[in-house]
């Protein structure tokens, strides 16, 4: 078994505030929110970076679920930002792909 933090969250070895779960993906609140709303959507399959991702349907599911949850939580109208960081220059810290969803304040552009 690998030593991946997000695989442990999927397996409930590490607790998280889950917002959604099905057979392919889970969504949960980020432990260190960078906006009033900040959650992550991840595949259950361990994929280290977006460079390693081949399954377009699974990737699409991450995005459509982030949008669906954003609507459900009511910040779709004001807006939100979806981000996936890749490797060191992209700011990736956890090497199990995750789509960030940030909302609830005006977000800076361009990002730092
Ligand atoms: P990255 O920089 O890899 O794109 O983002 C990793 C994200 O995972 C960060 O926003 C960080 O706050 C979040 N994170 C790291 N450890 C944990 C944890 O144990 N639980 C939760 N819910 N989020 C975490
Ligand atoms: Zn993993």
């Amino acid at each position: 078994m690998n030593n991946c933090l997000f695989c442990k969250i999927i397996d409930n070895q590490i607790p998280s505030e889950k917002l959604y779960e099905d057979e392919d993906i889970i969504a949960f609140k980020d432990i260190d929110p960078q906006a009033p709303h900040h959650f992550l959507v991840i595949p259950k399959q361990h994929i280290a970076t977006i460079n390693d991702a081949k399954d377009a349907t699974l990737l699409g599911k991450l995005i459509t679920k982030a949008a669906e949850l954003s609507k459900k939580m009511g910040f779709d109208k004001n807006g939100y930002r979806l981000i996936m960081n890749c490797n060191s220059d992209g700011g990736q810290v956890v090497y199990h792909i995750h789509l960030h969803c940030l909302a609830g304040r005006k977000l800076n552009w361009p990002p730092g």
Side-chain angles (χ1 to χ4, degrees):
M1 188 57 204
N2 71 49
N3 203 31
C4 169
L5 178 67
F6 285 176
C7 283
K8 288 179 181 166
I9 285 179
I10 291 161
D11 289 344
N12 292 311
Q13 293 171 40
I14 292 174
S16 68
E17 282 190 71
K18 285 203 181 72
L19 302 171
Y20 177 80
E21 177 163 16
D22 67 23
E23 66 277 18
D24 297 320
I25 66 174
I26 66 166
F28 55 98
K29 291 189 182 178
D30 197 289
I31 205 168
D32 181 21
Q34 301 302 311
H37 301 280
H38 185 178
F39 66 85
L40 305 173
V41 191
I42 73 172
K44 287 191 168 174
Q45 187 188 342
H46 180 85
I47 301 167
T49 82
I50 194 67
N51 291 328
D52 308 304
K54 307 272 184 274
D55 185 340
T57 303
L58 182 61
L59 295 174
K61 213 171 159 179
L62 300 179
I63 296 172
T64 52
K65 187 53 67 179
E68 188 185 313
L69 290 169
S70 296
K71 283 181 201 148
K72 198 184 258 181
M73 290 187 267
F75 46 76
D76 55 315
K77 203 172 164 74
N78 279 352
Y80 53 92
R81 184 172 295 162
L82 304 181
I83 301 170
M84 192 176 283
N85 297 325
C86 182
N87 282 336
S88 58
D89 278 3
Q92 187 173 7
V93 173
V94 178
Y95 281 79
H96 179 133
I97 59 167
H98 46 282
L99 186 65
H100 293 261
C101 182
L102 296 142
R105 68 170 170 84
K106 187 88 180 162
L107 297 160
N108 301 327
W109 191 261

